[in-house]
Amino acid sequence: MKKELFKKIPAVNDLLKSEYGKKLIKKYNHELVLKSIRTILDKKREIIAKTKTEKLNDLVINLEIKSLINEVNDYLVDYLKPNLEKVINGTGIIVHTNLGRSILSSDAINNLVNVAKNYSTLEINKKSGERGSRYENVRELLISLTVAEDGFVVNNNAAAVLLILDTFAKGKEVILSRGEMVEVGGSFRIPEVMEKSGAKLVEVGATNKVSIKDYESKINDNTGILLKVHTSNYKILGFTEEVKLKELVDLGEKYSIPVVEDLGSGIINDLSDLGLVDEPTVADKIKQGADLVSFSGDKLLGGPQVGIIAGKKAYINKLKNNPLTRALRVDKFTLSTLESTLKSYIKQKEREEIPTLKMISEKSDLIKNKTKRLKEKIINLCNDKYLLSINKGTSKVGGGAFPLQGIPTYVLKLKTKKSNLNTLGYKLRMNNPPIFTRLHDNSMIFDLRTIKDQEIPQIAKALKKAL
Ligand SMILES: *Cc1c(COP(=O)(O)O)cnc(C)c1O
């Protein structure tokens, strides 16, 4: 009985040669059509195989060529929807690396669209009509905001560190404190980047303690860089001692060795009025005398993925002359969005205009109101299986910054049984648009700090469907 059904499944070629199949091949890539046909036919085989023999009579399965091709067509239409799509971030983690880190300001998006749609002044000097440098588009802005002599950008902060090591420490030694051997998000480890650049890591001190004498004792003729890495995603507490940048700068001057700090997140303006302390500004580091400082564009800066290097002109010039720069260079989309983001800081409107900073600084009263609005929209959905409440909670900055500090917030808590919760989580992730939340303590937590006003009805609708 099953055998007969299996036999009824047409061959791939039958589908391809059919009048409908031919139309499909005219519309879509041949290989993909072939693969999709196989996928659909495999699914049919699977359905038949899974059906118990005594239930075969009740099985409704359409194996006609026209119907199968229709299924292939639906599959292809679905395939052509963007894989990289908008999601609703209900986690309250503002710089969420897996959800795309920072989202951009309206100005940045407008500038991006304009540059994407048209030819642009990427590498041309309007006045002279001669060739210019793409980096000039943001250089002055970086200088103003970091108070450094010069500024430069590459693909991301990992690339910035690689370029710095390659330029000043290839075949040489780099002195770094053991307490600063960081790993960022599992894919960026200082010792590994060091190895790729051909620099030799010389570790000094113990994990919790290092002194300036430890550094000095390791300096020799082959020392290329004195490196500091801002341990933004963890903190060593208790019996600790670290060397201040200023001390290292003095040491670097004494031996003519560049002092570099990888700041990771890097902020332009202090955030301590929001209760977020311990994250130094880039200008602080420059004022303390660092020769080069590197940081990310899409973490707390709130712009596009980019690695920014600020520092002394002579050193930046050396970086620019390294052929690696060509391989790490940023494109026009990055430069256009970075420029707009930096200009929000120049206007001192970053907390209004840049979403990352706006979300970080949003007052919890406003979030409480948003939370109430979502609750009102879904209150009638709750029964004895689901319990709804508004609670105090903690948002996270994310992006590896402020690991120990949260931002007070209000959350909507949907309490239920664990099995229901997992299904609900799945349904929300598969919603259009997908919704990501935090699951904690048999509850689904919506932190409205990272949810836009216009997304509230979308969440309510998704929950209505899912519950
Ligand atoms: C995030 C981070 C990096 C990597 O930056 P990307 O922009 O993600 O390449 C490097 N160093 C530190 C200290 C970081 O926090």
Side-chain angles (χ1 to χ4, degrees):
M1 184 76 174
K2 267 199 186 185
K3 238 187 194 169
E4 284 161 29
L5 256 184
F6 278 128
K7 266 193 197 156
K8 275 194 189 157
I9 298 175
V12 175
N13 246 339
D14 296 341
L15 278 127
L16 279 175
K17 282 191 185 143
S18 70
E19 142 195 22
Y20 314 104
K22 281 180 186 155
K23 274 190 197 150
L24 218 51
I25 284 177
K26 273 201 184 137
K27 252 167 77 181
Y28 301 109
N29 168 280
H30 188 274
E31 276 308 303
L32 185 62
V33 172
L34 212 66
K35 226 164 128 182
S36 313
I37 288 177
R38 288 201 188 106
T39 305
I40 297 296
L41 294 182
D42 283 347
K43 271 190 199 153
K44 300 294 171 198
R45 263 179 222 111
E46 205 183 322
I47 292 171
I48 297 169
K50 269 193 184 157
T51 309
K52 292 201 178 96
T53 316
E54 64 269 25
K55 293 262 165 89
L56 272 180
N57 276 333
D58 303 332
L59 181 64
V60 185
I61 188 164
N62 194 339
L63 299 173
E64 279 171 44
I65 290 191
K66 186 176 174 188
S67 144
L68 288 169
I69 290 285
N70 270 338
E71 278 186 53
V72 175
N73 192 55
D74 290 347
Y75 179 86
L76 287 167
V77 168
D78 201 49
Y79 181 94
L80 285 175
K81 288 188 188 142
N83 291 328
L84 185 54
E85 60 180 325
K86 170 217 154 109
V87 306
I88 294 176
N89 176 7
T91 66
I93 301 166
I94 297 159
V95 182
H96 195 305
T97 294
N98 304 131
L99 301 183
R101 287 195 181 164
S102 284
I103 57 178
L104 297 173
S105 69
S106 307
D107 279 358
I109 293 161
N110 290 339
N111 205 14
L112 170 69
V113 170
N114 203 20
V115 165
K117 273 187 171 172
N118 300 287
Y119 293 107
S120 59
T121 52
L122 181 63
E123 284 189 351
I124 205 137
N125 185 320
K126 264 193 308 195
K127 280 191 199 134
S128 65
E130 276 166 20
R131 184 171 178 179
S133 156
R134 64 178 61 212
Y135 304 105
E136 282 305 313
N137 290 301
V138 293
R139 201 174 74 93
E140 282 294 335
L141 296 168
L142 290 174
I143 291 172
S144 303
L145 295 173
T146 64
V147 307
E149 283 174 24
D150 207 353
F152 188 56
V153 289
V154 288
N155 187 51
N156 56 16
N157 188 31
V161 175
L162 178 69
L163 179 65
I164 291 170
L165 292 172
D166 185 89
T167 308
F168 299 103
K170 198 177 188 133
K172 292 188 172 183
E173 295 178 356
V174 175
I175 305 183
L176 175 71
S177 158
R178 263 198 192 90
E180 296 175 6
M181 302 246 296
V182 305
E183 166 171 327
V184 185
S187 55
F188 177 89
R189 281 199 179 119
I190 282 287
E192 286 169 10
V193 177
M194 199 86 78
E195 197 184 311
K196 266 280 164 253
S197 72
K200 184 173 168 237
L201 177 64
V202 177
E203 302 164 42
V204 292
T207 305
N208 58 334
K209 274 200 159 198
V210 64
S211 73
I212 195 73
K213 286 207 186 77
D214 293 326
Y215 283 88
E216 189 158 19
S217 70
K218 295 285 182 190
I219 290 181
N220 60 40
D221 288 346
N222 203 30
T223 305
I225 290 177
L226 302 179
L227 182 65
K228 263 187 97 64
V229 178
H230 182 58
T231 57
S232 46
N233 58 359
Y234 68 95
K235 231 181 153 48
I236 298 172
L237 300 173
F239 185 60
T240 64
E241 183 179 326
E242 67 164 343
V243 168
K244 295 265 174 303
L245 177 64
K246 181 78 186 64
E247 293 174 82
L248 213 56
V249 166
D250 291 342
L251 191 66
E253 268 172 20
K254 183 169 161 193
Y255 292 93
S256 300
I257 301 168
V259 174
V260 174
E261 175 143 5
D262 170 19
L263 253 186
S265 210
I267 53 173
I268 297 297
N269 294 319
D270 191 65
L271 298 175
S272 53
D273 64 305
L274 303 171
L276 297 169
V277 292
D278 282 346
E279 188 73 27
T281 67
V282 181
D284 281 340
K285 299 291 174 183
I286 296 293
K287 283 180 195 155
Q288 284 172 50
D291 292 305
L292 292 171
V293 174
S294 76
F295 58 104
S296 296
D298 54 353
K299 290 185 181 170
L300 284 180
L301 186 84
Q305 178 194 302
V306 66
I308 301 174
I309 306 169
K312 305 237 166 91
K313 203 171 174 62
Y315 290 113
I316 300 257
N317 275 340
K318 282 211 168 137
L319 294 177
K320 283 183 182 165
N321 290 329
N322 185 332
L324 246 191
T325 298
R326 182 63 176 78
L328 305 177
R329 83 174 186 185
V330 289
D331 69 4
K332 56 190 177 182
F333 309 124
T334 302
L335 285 167
S336 65
T337 47
L338 180 63
E339 179 185 342
S340 301
T341 305
L342 296 175
K343 281 183 172 165
S344 285
Y345 286 94
I346 298 279
K347 289 184 280 176
Q348 305 198 4
K349 289 221 164 125
E350 70 273 14
R351 288 193 188 176
E352 291 153 59
E353 295 183 354
I354 299 176
T356 293
L357 288 159
K358 190 171 180 195
M359 286 186 263
I360 289 175
S361 53
E362 182 138 285
K363 295 273 173 292
S364 60
D365 287 354
L366 277 177
I367 294 170
K368 193 174 188 180
N369 287 338
K370 271 161 90 177
T371 314
K372 279 185 189 157
R373 257 181 285 145
L374 176 58
K375 188 181 170 198
E376 277 158 22
K377 280 200 184 320
I378 57 172
I379 191 83
N380 56 344
L381 296 175
C382 289
N383 46 37
D384 44 353
K385 263 172 42 194
Y386 296 99
L387 203 71
L388 258 191
S389 61
I390 292 182
N391 297 47
K392 284 192 169 167
T394 317
S395 311
K396 285 279 181 191
V397 172
F402 303 107
L404 301 183
Q405 300 167 56
I407 313 170
T409 191
Y410 286 92
V411 297
L412 188 67
K413 192 168 161 183
L414 186 65
K415 201 170 169 68
T416 183
K417 287 205 304 269
K418 193 161 177 229
S419 53
N420 292 338
L421 207 58
N422 288 339
T423 324
L424 183 60
Y426 175 79
K427 283 184 182 163
L428 291 188
R429 291 196 306 277
M430 296 309 284
N431 185 60
N432 178 22
I435 300 167
F436 288 80
T437 61
R438 255 185 358 234
L439 298 183
H440 179 67
D441 188 20
N442 279 357
S443 303
M444 177 169 275
I445 312 272
F446 295 88
D447 185 341
L448 280 277
R449 187 178 289 279
T450 47
I451 295 171
K452 297 178 191 141
D453 283 330
Q454 64 268 33
E455 290 171 344
I456 294 176
Q458 291 181 302
I459 297 174
K461 202 171 143 201
L463 278 169
K464 264 177 214 160
K465 233 167 80 187
L467 296 176

